[in-house]
């Protein structure tokens, strides 16, 4: 994969970043203050998801405008929610305004039995995932944009779990952003993509002094994805988790997906991903304070940015 021009001169992600939905329902001023503090804490990248908060493009503008150095990464912008023309135009504008600091993560889920329901709303479904994504990239590349070109070529990554999407990510983009995965998946992803592509791994963590409560919060997170996200359940099957574990949960599954305990325990998991082939690990902090950005935990975990 080393001859892929997308792999050259990519954005600076650092070894450790943050991944969050926590700013979705917060006022813009609070988002700006939080992003600025995250940057000062030394994290290499700030990743955010896309649900029913701000759309990926507007959230990117806010975060990039509030910071000066940190890379802002969409993790991910759902290709079912915007056409390739508007996505390509936004990507160019963001990179023009903030050279070298924006990563466009792209993804979407194949729903064979109709659209996925989120909060009672039907998200448009996609066709075959790899074919659809390849066509979307082709369409973005073909858009005849007349706006000013950025100083550096835009950088994209793909949400990828299975071998075919990982291969597409390595061939067509900077690399892959994986989510809800154990260390074993990181090793498989690196092998599938080869040495040249970037691998940015989301890692859910619970930093809590009570071990029982920490595992409880971790199990709640795993429950949401193992029961409500068919693509994640399929990924777990490929990794050897049985149907009973996927349906009912298990300590083995929870511990594989979520690192919980103290900073040392979380550092151990981050190092395991890096040793398995990850270039970057972005921490999604889970707490028992819904709706409140986990600033205390982000501050404590900032010690890991020196890895």
């Amino acid at each position: 994969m080393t001859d892929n021009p997308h792999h050259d001169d990519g954005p600076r992600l650092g070894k450790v970043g943050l991944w969050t939905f926590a700013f979705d329902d917060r006022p813009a001023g609070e988002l700006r203050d939080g992003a600025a503090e995250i940057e000062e804490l030394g994290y290499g990248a700030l990743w955010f998801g896309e649900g029913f908060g701000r759309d990926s493009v507007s959230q990117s503008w806010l975060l990039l405008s509030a910071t000066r150095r940190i890379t802002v990464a969409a993790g991910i912008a759902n290709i079912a929610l915007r056409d390739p023309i508007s996505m390509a135009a936004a990507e160019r504008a963001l990179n023009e305004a903030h050279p070298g600091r924006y990563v466009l993560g792209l993804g979407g889920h194949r729903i064979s039995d109709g659209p996925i329901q989120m909060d009672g709303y039907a998200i448009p479904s996609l066709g075959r995932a790899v074919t659809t994504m390849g066509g979307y990239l082709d369409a973005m590349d073909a858009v005849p944009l007349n706006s000013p070109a950025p100083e550096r070529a835009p950088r994209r990554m793909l949400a990828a779990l299975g071998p075919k999407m990982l291969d597409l990510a390595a061939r067509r983009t900077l690399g892959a952003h994986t989510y809800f995965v154990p260390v074993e998946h990181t090793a498989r992803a690196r092998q599938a993509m080869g040495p040249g592509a970037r691998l940015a791994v989301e890692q859910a963590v619970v930093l809590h002094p009570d071990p029982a409560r920490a595992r409880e919060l971790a199990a709640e997170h795993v429950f949401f994805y193992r029961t409500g996200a068919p693509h994640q359940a399929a990924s777990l099957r490929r990794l050897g988790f049985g149907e009973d574990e996927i349906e009912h949960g298990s300590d083995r599954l929870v511990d594989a997906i979520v690192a919980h305990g103290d900073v040392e325990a979380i550092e151990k998991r981050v190092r395991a991903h890096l040793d398995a082939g990850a270039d970057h690990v972005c921490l999604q902090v889970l707490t028992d304070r819904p709706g409140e950005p986990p600033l205390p935990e982000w501050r404590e975990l900032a010690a890991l940015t020196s890895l």
Side-chain angles (χ1 to χ4, degrees):
M1 301 302 177
T2 55
D3 59 345
N4 185 340
H6 295 287
H7 299 167
D8 299 332
D9 192 30
R12 297 176 181 176
L13 296 174
K15 292 291 182 66
V16 178
L18 292 178
W19 196 107
T20 188
F21 270 123
F23 291 131
D24 262 9
D25 60 352
R26 310 311 299 169
E30 188 174 325
L31 176 149
R32 294 187 187 99
D33 291 343
E37 179 170 353
I38 288 167
E39 180 173 64
E40 291 306 311
L41 288 170
Y43 290 102
L46 176 54
W47 297 76
F48 63 93
E50 181 175 40
F52 287 113
R54 297 181 186 89
D55 79 287
S56 184
V57 175
S58 60
Q59 191 80 316
S60 297
W61 278 113
L62 282 169
L63 292 169
L64 286 163
S65 298
T67 54
R68 296 175 297 162
R69 302 178 305 277
I70 194 170
T71 295
V72 170
I76 50 79
N78 194 325
I79 66 173
L81 305 184
R82 58 188 62 82
D83 63 65
I85 299 173
S86 61
M87 191 72 264
E91 177 188 42
R92 174 177 280 206
L94 286 162
N95 278 280
E96 179 204 352
H98 303 279
R101 290 211 295 128
Y102 178 60
V103 174
L104 172 60
L106 293 169
H109 312 311
R110 181 187 179 190
I111 310 298
S112 58
D113 297 322
I116 188 171
Q117 298 289 326
M118 292 181 64
D119 294 343
Y121 183 84
I123 297 293
S125 61
L126 303 175
R128 296 185 64 83
V130 176
T131 302
T132 301
M133 182 61 75
Y136 193 90
L137 293 172
D138 290 340
M140 283 186 68
D141 290 342
V143 176
L145 295 170
N146 296 314
S147 58
E151 296 174 9
R152 299 168 64 180
R155 288 301 186 231
R156 303 168 189 162
M157 299 184 82
L158 299 185
L161 291 173
K164 292 182 180 179
M165 190 65 81
L166 288 164
D167 176 67
L168 182 67
R171 288 189 292 106
R172 296 290 304 274
T173 74
L174 183 66
H177 173 44
T178 57
Y179 185 96
F180 197 78
V181 294
V183 172
E184 181 184 352
H185 185 276
T186 296
R188 293 188 185 188
R190 174 51 67 199
Q191 183 176 13
M193 294 196 301
R198 296 279 189 94
L199 179 56
V201 179
E202 176 271 347
Q203 175 62 61
V205 304
V206 180
L207 190 62
H208 200 287
D210 180 350
R213 182 56 178 151
R215 184 183 288 268
E216 200 173 71
L217 290 168
E220 290 171 5
H221 177 75
V222 171
F223 173 83
F224 177 83
Y225 287 99
R226 67 176 171 79
T227 62
H231 65 293
Q232 295 293 0
S235 176
L236 293 175
R237 292 186 189 97
R238 287 194 295 268
L239 289 163
F241 291 96
E243 291 301 324
D244 187 68
E245 288 181 287
I246 295 170
E247 183 177 355
H248 301 291
S250 70
D251 287 347
R252 182 176 84 102
L253 174 56
V254 169
D255 293 346
I257 296 296
V258 183
H260 50 91
D262 57 14
V263 173
E264 184 178 350
I266 292 167
E267 178 182 352
K268 183 178 180 181
R269 181 67 60 87
V270 171
R271 288 187 182 277
H273 278 296
L274 295 173
D275 290 344
D279 298 293
H280 173 80
V281 180
C282 40
L283 305 175
Q284 180 178 189
V285 177
L286 312 174
T287 74
D288 51 9
R289 307 186 305 276
E292 179 184 329
L295 282 168
E297 289 83 0
W298 289 343
R299 291 165 184 155
E300 191 170 355
L301 290 168
L304 303 185
T305 62
S306 61
L307 292 178

